[in-house]
Amino acid sequence: MSERIANEFYKSKVMSADEAAQFVNNGDKVGMSGFTGAGYPKAMPTAIANKAKAAHERGDEFAIDVFTG
């Protein structure tokens, strides 16, 4: 993916879904595409769910609002 990004600043922002999920915190509101397969963020919902599951197993609260189109 990063080879398609010409701007070095933005290229440095590319990360895995698991890395990006670390920016999602309890109480956050998260918006993502929803209707088409091409725009659907396939890895992010799973990465966020894994983070929530780990938090719950530790006894921590983790709940977010998800908005899709």
Side-chain angles (χ1 to χ4, degrees):
M1 170 64 98
S2 62
E3 67 276 358
R4 295 180 5 194
I5 302 170
N7 183 291
E8 289 300 320
F9 174 78
Y10 292 115
K11 188 183 290 189
S12 73
K13 301 296 182 187
V14 176
M15 64 186 74
S16 71
D18 288 329
E19 291 169 323
Q22 298 310 306
F23 291 99
V24 180
N25 299 301
N26 182 50
D28 284 354
K29 295 174 181 11
V30 179
M32 60 184 76
S33 177
F35 284 121
T36 64
Y40 184 73
K42 297 161 187 68
M44 277 305 295
T46 300
I48 294 169
N50 289 339
K51 181 178 179 178
K53 182 178 178 182
H56 292 160
E57 288 173 352
R58 290 190 308 271
D60 296 336
E61 186 175 335
F62 189 94
I64 63 171
D65 293 321
V66 177
F67 302 90
T68 64

